[in-house]
């Protein structure tokens, strides 16, 4: 029965749930269509963002508990940078939820030849200008406390913050992934900040000021290979777990190889460990 499900699972297009291509005004409805399609997926199913169109969507596309589900992005998924309309964390008016969020899923696959475009420039500009309210910037893809994860083929570009954040995962493979950040735009923004700081005697811009990391990962048993990451921050950052012991009390058993990293390269332990981690 499991083999039959793997071979014969349905292909669920987000268009069948009301998603409309090439219309920014449909971004809220498109986000809901994607959420509904993912929630309707059974083991063995594939949720499809079809080729031939660009689908605008607001953030907060969150799903929990998927088992043996694939999300295939063949078209273009655009994150609408409408910060006022972007969903916020409960009880907050400024803490923006992440764009795509997968929590406690097993045998989760994200694949395709398509693009997830975070439309990050308006978010980065807001930091430079210092506009209020100071909205927190969402991550483009968050995979949290998931097992048996596969990410391949996609292009992630211009995230407001981190591009792919695999937080406390167990058994994950990322390969043939492209991360692209408009480095020229970012470097221009950083020069503006640096000049401002020089005028007030402050320190030059630090890497964390824009924080558009390529892949940030914590957990156990992770293999990242044959990826191309072009950004102006940590290309890969290996981070400690949160100390919850959900899969492991510390980040371990990871292999990174055959990578092209254009940015700040790969780092380990760029943030301090949790007090409960040995």
């Amino acid at each position: 029965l499991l083999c039959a499900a793997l071979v014969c699972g349905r292909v669920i297009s987000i268009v069948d749930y009301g998603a409309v291509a090439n219309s920014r005004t449909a971004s809220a409805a498109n986000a809901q269509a994607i959420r509904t399609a993912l929630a309707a997926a059974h083991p063995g199913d594939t949720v499809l963002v079809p080729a031939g169109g660009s689908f605008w969507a607001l953030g907060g596309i969150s799903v929990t508990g998927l088992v043996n589900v694939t999300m295939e992005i063949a078209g273009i998924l655009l994150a609408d940078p409408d910060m006022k309309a972007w969903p916020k964390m409960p009880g907050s008016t400024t803490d923006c939820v992440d764009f795509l969020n997968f929590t406690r899923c097993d045998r989760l696959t994200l694949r395709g030849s398509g693009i997830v475009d975070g439309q990050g420039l308006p978010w980065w500009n807001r930091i430079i200008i210092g506009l209020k309210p100071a909205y927190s910037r969402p991550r483009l893809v968050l995979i949290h406390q998931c097992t048996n994860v596969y990410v391949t083929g996609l292009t992630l570009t211009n995230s407001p913050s981190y591009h792919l954040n695999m937080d406390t995962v167990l058994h994950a493979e990322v390969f043939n992934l492209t991360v692209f950040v408009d480095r020229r735009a970012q470097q221009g923004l950083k020069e503006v900040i640096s000049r401002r700081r020089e005028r007030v005697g402050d320190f030059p811009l630090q890497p964390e000021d824009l924080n558009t990391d390529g892949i940030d990962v914590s957990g156990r048993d992770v293999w990242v290979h044959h990826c191309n990451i072009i950004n102006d921050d940590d290309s890969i950052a290996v981070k400690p777990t949160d100390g919850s012991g959900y899969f492991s009390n510390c980040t371990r058993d990871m292999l990174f190889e055959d990578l092209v990293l254009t940015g700040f390269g790969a780092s380990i332990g760029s943030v301090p460990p949790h007090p409960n981690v040995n």
Side-chain angles (χ1 to χ4, degrees):
L1 291 177
L2 177 59
C3 292
L6 288 170
V7 172
C8 302
R10 301 171 299 165
V11 175
I12 304 171
S13 173
I14 63 172
V15 173
D16 295 337
Y17 284 83
V20 177
N22 308 318
S23 172
R24 185 172 174 181
T25 59
S27 62
N30 285 349
Q32 183 58 49
I34 298 169
R35 279 193 294 267
T36 304
L38 287 167
H42 297 154
D45 287 348
T46 295
V47 174
L48 175 67
V49 178
S54 297
F55 294 87
W56 289 92
L58 288 171
I61 302 170
S62 301
V63 64
T64 300
L66 295 179
V67 177
N68 189 26
V69 169
T70 295
M71 183 174 186
E72 180 165 354
I73 301 174
I76 301 173
L77 196 55
L78 295 156
D80 188 345
D82 185 341
M83 299 171 204
K84 290 183 179 179
W86 195 281
K88 310 300 189 299
M89 297 292 289
S92 174
T93 59
T94 58
D95 292 337
C96 297
V97 299
D98 298 310
F99 184 58
L100 292 172
N101 183 341
F102 300 89
T103 298
R104 297 192 178 181
C105 301
D106 178 46
R107 286 168 285 160
L108 171 70
T109 298
L110 303 182
R111 72 182 185 195
S113 58
I115 298 170
V116 184
D117 186 340
Q119 295 286 299
L121 186 58
W123 300 87
W124 309 335
N125 280 335
R126 196 172 185 90
I127 292 179
I128 306 306
I129 299 171
L131 293 178
K132 302 296 182 180
Y135 294 113
S136 67
R137 290 174 296 142
R139 293 163 287 196
L140 197 56
V141 180
L142 172 64
I143 299 174
H144 177 60
Q145 292 184 347
C146 294
T147 55
N148 302 302
V149 176
Y150 299 92
V151 181
T152 184
L154 297 172
T155 295
L156 309 180
T157 184
N158 289 335
S159 173
S161 181
Y162 304 159
H163 286 77
L164 174 60
N165 188 188
M166 297 193 297
D167 177 43
T168 315
V169 296
L170 176 66
H171 310 317
E173 182 178 1
V174 180
F175 58 103
N176 293 332
L177 179 76
T178 298
V179 174
F180 176 81
V181 173
D182 187 344
R183 300 181 77 217
R184 180 174 297 180
Q186 282 211 341
Q187 288 167 355
L189 295 174
K190 289 184 176 186
E191 288 174 4
V192 171
I193 294 181
S194 182
R195 288 195 296 269
R196 286 182 179 178
R197 290 181 170 179
E198 286 173 0
R199 287 199 296 268
V200 298
D202 204 345
F203 294 102
L205 180 72
Q206 298 299 310
E208 62 270 17
D209 284 351
L210 290 179
N211 254 13
T212 50
D213 292 10
I215 301 173
D216 282 22
V217 58
S218 66
R220 181 160 60 93
D221 188 21
V222 175
W223 183 23
V224 179
H225 60 100
H226 296 94
C227 297
N228 186 10
I229 301 175
I230 302 172
N231 68 336
D232 208 33
D233 211 302
D234 289 332
S235 302
I236 293 175
V238 179
K239 297 194 170 181
T241 62
D242 61 7
S244 65
Y246 195 78
F247 294 130
S248 176
N249 285 329
C250 63
T251 293
R252 60 177 183 165
D253 303 332
M254 296 190 177
L255 175 62
F256 302 86
E257 61 180 351
D258 295 313
L259 304 166
V260 177
L261 308 179
T262 305
F264 295 164
S267 62
I268 298 176
S270 61
V271 294
H274 188 279
N276 293 332
V277 175
N278 294 326

